[in-house]
Amino acid sequence: MTGSTPRLVVLPAADWATAVAAELAERLSGRPDLRIVLPTGDTPSPLYEEVVRAEREDRLALGGVTIVQLDEWVGLPPDDPARCDRRLRTELVARLRTPPAAFVTIDVDGPDPDAAARRHDDAARGIGLALLGLGPNGHVGFNEPGSGPDDPTRLVRLAVSSRDAATARYGATRVPTAGITIGLARLLEADEAWLLVTGERKAAILRRVLVEPEGPDRPASYLRRHPRLTVFADAEAAALLPR
Ligand code: F6R
């Protein structure tokens, strides 16, 4: 599979969330029943804030949309503040005037996480738009270094930096060692993918993901194979990219 050159949209940090939300509103007006993959984390939080505002002001509607969760920690209790399903609910889903048609979460609390991952692999088919963040180690979702473009949705061991993020940044009450993530195989099948990247701390890895040859040490680099990839970066994250 070969992709075309990604579309790179560089925005001033202050405009980033409103510009991405405006493009999302445009997509949704054309396809109100979009099946959409959503990540959690520091990057999408301001976007979700803006999406909630736009929905309340009738500039965007999510009532027909199916939201599919990108990834989840395994081993955190359901009410843990770091849980991705909880964050998506509190930052976005529960704040909408009209909730999405469906919110498909990953069943990490059941007895068989491998079976839950297989079920989520089915949920991750037919995706219209996948929104994705970029890990400082080049991961996308929990497709950690070593992941490949043919990987399905599956149970994975987390990299140390991801485990640290769970506790230090997101306030997890325990250190999770595993997660379930939609695999790159499904993400590359989505009709469209958006890689969301903000802040100076992502500048070096964004350059390595977009400029250097693709490779399993930076799984996000495989997204370049996607025929409709847009990278929405703020000026800080884009600072090391070639002009
Ligand atoms: C979380 C996820 C992760 C994050 C990535 C960046 O659902 O999929 O891949 O997108 O670790 O995290 P932030 O945005 O917090 O820098």
Side-chain angles (χ1 to χ4, degrees):
M1 199 199 301
T2 51
S4 45
T5 308
R7 172 178 162 240
L8 175 64
V9 179
V10 180
L11 298 152
D15 300 338
W16 183 87
T18 39
V20 180
E23 189 145 340
L24 182 62
E26 197 183 299
R27 288 297 183 287
L28 291 171
S29 69
R31 279 177 77 181
D33 60 349
L34 204 64
R35 195 170 181 84
I36 181 169
V37 166
L38 292 184
T40 47
D42 292 344
T43 312
S45 287
L47 171 63
Y48 297 154
E49 188 68 43
E50 182 55 34
V51 166
V52 168
R53 187 174 308 123
E55 199 255 358
R56 291 185 182 166
E57 293 171 3
D58 287 326
R59 288 183 280 123
L60 172 156
L62 287 159
V65 162
T66 293
I67 294 176
V68 180
Q69 186 184 355
L70 173 61
D71 49 10
E72 185 61 274
W73 316 100
V74 173
L76 297 184
D79 61 348
D80 194 288
R83 275 277 289 246
C84 301
D85 55 354
R86 187 173 185 268
R87 290 190 68 168
L88 277 176
R89 218 172 256 119
T90 55
E91 291 181 17
L92 179 66
V93 175
R95 297 175 66 203
L96 298 169
R97 281 183 321 178
T98 306
F103 175 33
V104 184
T105 56
I106 306 175
D107 175 24
V108 285
D109 304 315
D112 188 347
D114 282 307
R118 284 194 296 274
R119 286 196 298 278
H120 206 64
D121 197 53
D122 290 335
R125 291 175 193 270
I127 298 299
L129 175 63
L131 268 59
L132 305 164
L134 175 63
N137 65 351
H139 75 198
V140 61
F142 285 146
N143 293 283
E144 300 283 18
S147 301
D150 300 323
D151 286 337
T153 305
R154 67 209 182 285
L155 182 65
V156 293
R157 287 197 68 74
L158 298 172
V160 172
S161 56
S162 300
R163 301 209 302 259
D164 288 349
T167 45
R169 305 237 316 284
Y170 307 142
T173 55
R174 297 177 200 157
V175 183
T177 56
I180 290 177
T181 185
I182 295 180
L184 278 158
R186 298 289 88 74
L187 297 175
L188 289 170
E189 285 167 6
D191 294 342
E192 190 175 357
W194 292 0
L195 185 61
L196 312 175
V197 197
T198 56
E200 193 187 347
R201 77 185 181 96
K202 299 286 178 67
I205 188 64
L206 183 60
R207 182 186 164 87
R208 293 188 60 222
V209 160
L210 292 184
V211 176
E212 293 181 16
E214 66 173 35
D217 57 326
R218 289 150 288 125
S221 62
Y222 293 117
L223 292 173
R224 283 156 45 193
R225 297 183 180 198
H226 198 292
R228 285 185 72 199
L229 172 67
T230 301
V231 180
F232 287 100
D234 71 4
E236 284 78 2
L240 299 179
L241 295 178
R243 296 278 141 195

